[in-house]
Amino acid sequence: MVVPPLLRAVIMGPPGSGKGTVSARIIKHFGVKHLSSGDLLRDNMQKKTEVGILAKSYIDQGQLIPDDIMTQLMLNEIKGLDRYNWLLDDVPFETIKCRLTARWIHPASGRVYNLEFNPPKVQGIDDITGEPLVQRDDDKPETVSKRLQAYDAQTKPVLEYYRKKGLLKSFSGTETNKIWPHIYAFLQTKLPDVSQKDAANSR
């Protein structure tokens, strides 16, 4: 009996491109394990793991989390999935933008607030002095957008690398329902549709 190779896939796309909807359908139809770097990041920060604490320190400083920390986070999770097909979902830019622009400071004391993790009791006001909080220039949405454009430029060589290896499959369109049949047809060449099997078993 020949065992088919396991599928290792990454789904990439800009915010609002329907990645979440497509990922949910892939999981339902093909039974792959879904790894979301955003979900893993949140989970590790809530559980205060070593990686989570380190990642939070970068977010609180308004910085993007370095690649080596994100890689460590993902590898820790992937180690337990060596016998499964899996789909890795990257963090949408809008999520990163929200996290980076969530930081506000009290200039006189240097107290830092983060709207997600340790918000002030009254929005825009320092808890102790009642003075207004400010946002540093490099935390403002327009500055963060520029940094994310730089990140976008960094992902292009990655896509090009996989394109040259013949491992990149691109899908484009304005509606998920129009793109999905093409994605489904492509994945059917790699994996069986487990949802049909589940439906047959439940009859």
Side-chain angles (χ1 to χ4, degrees):
M1 180 179 156
V2 179
V3 179
L6 289 167
L7 181 76
R8 304 289 190 239
V10 178
I11 184 166
M12 295 179 77
S17 62
K19 276 190 318 164
T21 308
V22 167
S23 294
R25 290 185 188 183
I26 291 172
I27 295 155
K28 177 189 169 192
H29 285 277
F30 298 101
V32 300
K33 299 284 181 185
H34 182 230
L35 294 170
S36 164
S37 47
D39 290 346
L40 275 176
L41 198 53
R42 270 189 297 277
D43 190 46
N44 275 265
M45 286 193 288
Q46 282 168 358
K47 289 179 178 168
K48 294 183 167 56
T49 66
E50 191 179 336
V51 179
I53 291 166
L54 196 54
K56 185 179 182 301
S57 72
Y58 282 94
I59 289 174
D60 286 346
Q61 292 169 53
Q63 296 174 6
L64 289 174
I65 297 164
D67 288 347
D68 60 328
I69 294 174
M70 287 307 296
T71 302
Q72 186 185 339
L73 186 74
M74 298 313 298
L75 287 176
N76 287 348
E77 195 69 18
I78 287 168
K79 276 177 195 164
L81 299 176
D82 55 336
R83 288 178 289 140
Y84 296 93
N85 298 304
W86 50 255
L87 173 70
L88 174 60
D89 195 345
D90 67 332
V91 182
F93 294 170
E94 288 303 315
T95 307
I96 300 169
K97 189 192 288 188
C98 289
R99 286 183 196 147
L100 291 179
T101 57
R103 192 167 79 127
W104 291 77
I105 60 170
H106 178 244
S109 67
R111 267 186 294 281
V112 177
Y113 296 90
N114 185 295
L115 301 183
E116 280 198 45
F117 306 110
N118 59 325
K121 290 175 185 141
V122 178
Q123 191 170 345
I125 302 294
D126 179 54
D127 287 352
I128 295 168
T129 65
E131 293 169 344
L133 300 174
V134 299
Q135 201 169 34
R136 292 187 342 187
D137 285 345
D138 60 353
D139 289 341
K140 289 179 179 169
E142 56 273 22
T143 310
V144 171
S145 291
K146 282 180 191 162
R147 286 157 69 192
L148 293 176
Q149 283 166 11
Y151 172 76
D152 190 30
Q154 289 173 339
T155 63
K156 283 183 178 145
V158 175
L159 295 174
E160 195 52 39
Y161 171 82
Y162 286 109
R163 183 180 285 113
K164 282 179 181 167
K165 286 189 161 288
L167 296 171
L168 180 71
K169 189 73 180 169
S170 297
F171 303 94
S172 59
T174 54
E175 294 174 39
T176 304
N177 285 341
K178 289 182 180 174
I179 301 169
W180 172 247
H182 302 286
I183 297 171
Y184 180 80
F186 169 71
L187 286 173
Q188 269 202 310
T189 67
K190 311 283 181 194
L191 296 169
D193 183 338
V194 295
S195 69
Q196 292 174 351
K197 199 188 299 175
D198 291 344
N201 289 342
S202 64
R203 278 182 202 140

